[in-house]
Amino acid sequence: GEYREIIKRFIMNPANGLEINPCHYCDMAYVNVYTIDPTEDGLYFMNTASIDELKSKLDTKSADTINKVIAKRPYKSVADFKQVGQTLKRHWKDDKFDKTFKPTNEKRSNFDIDHVLDKGSCPIIALSLMNFVPSCQVCNSRLKKTRVLGKLGIPEEKLSPSSPLYDFDNAVTIQILPKPGPIHLKPTQHPLCYETVFDISDKDYEYSVNLFKLKERYSYHIIEALRWIELKQKYDDARITMMSNALGEDSEFTVDKIREDIFGADYTKNEHRCFSKMKKDILK
């Protein structure tokens, strides 16, 4: 609860140098925090809350109170809320709105913070700040849940991203392979003729690939990879070299810079964009 939000803010603060944007487990969903206006958020709740929600927040069972609150919608200011209290038998106190409807935390997030190593098997390391990773809610809340990554004899030190032995990037390669049948010059027009394959050289990472349903989930985004494959076919090394030579000796049009302008591999990696691993693997 309270400490989880503090950890989230620490991880997502660029000043701390972590530069984390995508989900640690799937690399296909961005994680971010955003700032809200607590007063506006409170007024939104006042204007949209159901009868049961209002009863709970206002701590009342009186239908008369709830009906009068609803009848005064829309609320445009805290003063509107206080004015309703003056028409009721119980008058709102000056801090009633702040204590009832105004959120105490201006920072919100669209992701979870997860322990990579569980508290049961690694009670000391599990509470280390470096054991927490940002995770999208699909990976953490719907797929991982309470499952332990280090089960089935998988060494814990190979699972923590802060460990020098963690090597998911080299142990797993994402490939896009054609299914049996005719070869298509424009793969993006025939996505059903290709399949996503996770080539796993270190079987200790197979459990993670299966747990987070990476093959199935990446298959939905196969069109992204097929686009990069098309670009590789169209702009091979020989053609990029010809383009560089034709554009002269301008330092803005070297082979490397033209390749980066076309594929954006460094941009995707350095700016921590989603699908950075898949792009790197496809562009090898």
Side-chain angles (χ1 to χ4, degrees), residues 45-254:
F45 182 89
M46 282 288 300
N47 286 322
T48 60
S50 66
I51 292 176
D52 289 338
E53 288 174 327
L54 288 174
K55 283 183 178 180
S56 175
K57 280 286 189 178
L58 290 169
D59 191 23
T60 180
K61 296 181 181 180
S62 170
D64 182 57
T65 297
I66 300 302
N67 289 334
K68 286 184 178 180
V69 168
I70 292 177
K72 288 294 184 178
R73 288 175 172 173
Y75 294 89
K76 297 182 179 179
S77 68
V78 179
D80 294 342
F81 171 76
K82 292 180 178 180
Q83 189 175 24
V84 174
Q86 296 173 3
T87 66
L88 299 171
K89 294 180 180 179
R90 56 160 96 182
H91 296 288
W92 308 136
K93 295 181 180 179
D94 288 340
D95 60 353
K96 177 68 173 176
F97 178 83
D98 288 354
K99 288 187 174 181
T100 306
F101 298 109
K102 192 173 179 179
T104 56
N105 190 355
E106 296 182 11
K107 298 291 185 181
R108 297 292 176 86
S109 64
N110 69 338
F111 65 97
D112 295 335
I113 287 291
D114 184 50
H115 297 85
V116 177
L117 306 181
D118 72 294
K119 292 178 286 186
S121 58
C122 306
I124 297 179
I125 298 176
L127 296 178
S128 166
L129 181 62
M130 301 310 294
N131 186 50
F132 290 96
V133 295
S135 168
C136 71
Q137 293 170 345
V138 172
C139 283
N140 188 40
S141 302
R142 299 183 188 177
L143 295 175
K144 182 172 181 284
K145 299 181 181 178
T146 59
R147 295 183 177 90
V148 177
L149 289 181
K151 66 184 301 186
L152 304 177
I154 303 172
E156 283 85 355
E157 61 268 23
K158 293 178 69 175
L159 298 175
S160 174
S162 60
S163 169
L165 296 180
Y166 177 76
D167 198 24
F168 182 92
D169 191 34
N170 290 315
V172 179
T173 302
I174 303 174
Q175 299 178 334
I176 306 298
L177 302 179
K179 296 178 181 178
I183 301 298
H184 300 285
L185 295 178
K186 291 190 175 182
T188 54
Q189 296 182 7
H190 306 275
L192 296 180
C193 296
Y194 295 83
E195 64 177 336
T196 306
V197 174
F198 277 70
D199 182 17
I200 306 172
S201 60
D202 186 337
K203 296 304 179 182
D204 285 339
Y205 293 101
E206 187 171 17
Y207 179 73
S208 295
V209 171
N210 292 334
L211 172 61
F212 296 110
K213 306 295 182 187
L214 296 185
K215 180 181 183 298
E216 295 83 355
R217 294 165 68 193
Y218 268 74
S219 293
Y220 176 81
H221 299 284
I222 197 171
I223 193 71
E224 303 287 344
L226 293 176
R227 172 60 176 161
W228 301 328
I229 291 172
E230 279 189 7
L231 288 174
K232 280 183 66 177
Q233 295 171 347
K234 185 175 182 180
Y235 298 100
D236 57 17
D237 289 344
R239 183 158 293 178
I240 292 177
T241 300
M242 290 175 57
M243 294 169 62
S244 178
N245 292 337
L247 292 170
E249 299 180 356
D250 192 321
S251 61
E252 288 299 314
F253 299 106
T254 64

